[in-house]
């Protein structure tokens, strides 16, 4: 049984759609600077502790972000496919990152406020409320960017300041 407090929480908004969009894009700009900070020969090869290279992690972020925000906006989901054919090219990775940023800019405003409380099955396998799924996309990016900060430090490179989004 839902209490009055829970019912009223779903009626009040603490952040606007455009603010959430700007928040995520701020994270994406920072992640892009982290990608740029990697030496070309280390982006797809360097790893620690059995983790994937940051280049491989970025492929995951790209595979989730564009198709994910489109799925949240339209309700149409394809299978998650992280096998992007970018070779081991930083240039291609950044180009695809930028294209994904444009895709987010296109689809994000189409996620209507009422959809945020709906339950979705993202990529046909991850069930949660739209707002939780969206926060997962952002949290996952922050998580992998944190791993990249460790990689950069291990390579003797100072990463971008995390607060400069």
């Amino acid at each position: 049984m839902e209490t009055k407090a829970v019912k009223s929480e779903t009626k009040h908004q603490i952040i606007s759609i455009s603010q959430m969009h700007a928040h995520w894009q701020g994270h994406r700009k920072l992640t892009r600077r982290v990608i740029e900070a990697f030496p070309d020969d280390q982006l797809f090869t360097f790893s620690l502790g059995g983790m994937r290279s940051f280049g491989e992690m970025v492929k995951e972020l790209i595979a989730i972000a564009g198709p994910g925000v489109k799925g949240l906006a339209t309700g149409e989901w394809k299978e998650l496919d992280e096998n992007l054919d970018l070779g081991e090219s930083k240039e291609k990775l950044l180009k695809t990152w930028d294209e994904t940023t444009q895709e987010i800019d296109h689809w994000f405003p189409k996620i209507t406020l009422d959809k945020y409380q709906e339950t979705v099955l993202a990529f046909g396998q991850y069930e949660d409320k739209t707002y939780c799924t969206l926060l997962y996309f952002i949290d996952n990016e922050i998580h992998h960017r944190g791993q990249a900060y460790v990689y950069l430090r291990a390579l003797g490179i100072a990463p971008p300041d995390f607060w400069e989004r």
Side-chain angles (χ1 to χ4, degrees):
M1 186 167 150
E2 219 173 49
T3 66
K4 283 186 177 183
V6 172
K7 284 182 182 178
S8 67
E9 283 179 15
T10 62
K11 293 179 183 178
H12 298 289
Q13 180 180 336
I14 60 170
I15 186 171
S16 72
I17 292 172
S18 63
Q19 288 169 326
M20 180 63 85
H21 180 204
H23 177 78
W24 187 12
Q25 290 296 29
H27 279 291
R28 290 185 55 79
K29 287 176 188 170
L30 178 55
T31 301
R32 189 184 199 289
R33 290 200 320 270
V34 172
I35 298 166
E36 290 171 334
F38 266 83
D40 291 359
D41 64 337
Q42 298 294 320
L43 182 60
F44 289 95
T45 59
F46 186 81
S47 69
L48 294 171
M51 294 189 299
R52 296 174 290 166
S53 71
F54 187 51
E56 289 301 315
M57 292 178 202
V58 173
K59 285 181 179 182
E60 174 191 317
L61 299 176
I62 290 168
I64 290 171
V69 76
K70 181 179 179 182
L72 292 175
T74 66
E76 298 170 15
W77 293 92
K78 295 183 179 178
E79 187 176 316
L80 182 62
D81 182 10
E82 300 174 26
N83 299 314
L84 305 176
D85 184 18
L86 304 174
E88 291 193 354
S89 168
K90 182 198 260 187
E91 183 180 319
K92 287 181 183 178
L93 189 70
L94 286 169
K95 181 179 184 287
T96 305
W97 185 265
D98 293 342
E99 290 167 352
T100 301
T101 297
Q102 292 174 355
E103 194 174 355
I104 292 168
D105 285 342
H106 175 78
W107 290 109
F108 201 99
K110 294 175 177 26
I111 305 170
T112 59
L113 192 55
D114 59 308
K115 287 184 182 181
Y116 279 79
Q117 296 302 322
E118 292 178 5
T119 299
V120 296
L121 187 61
F123 302 104
Q125 55 187 332
Y126 306 109
E127 185 174 2
D128 213 335
K129 299 277 188 185
T130 294
Y131 78 91
C132 294
T133 301
L134 177 60
L135 290 171
Y136 171 79
F137 297 166
I138 298 167
D139 291 345
N140 188 50
E141 180 177 332
I142 295 167
H143 163 73
H144 287 311
R145 189 174 64 233
Q147 291 172 306
Y149 274 58
V150 173
Y151 286 6
L152 288 171
R153 292 280 187 201
L155 290 167
I157 299 167
D161 294 327
F162 74 89
W163 57 85
E164 292 184 359
R165 290 184 287 116

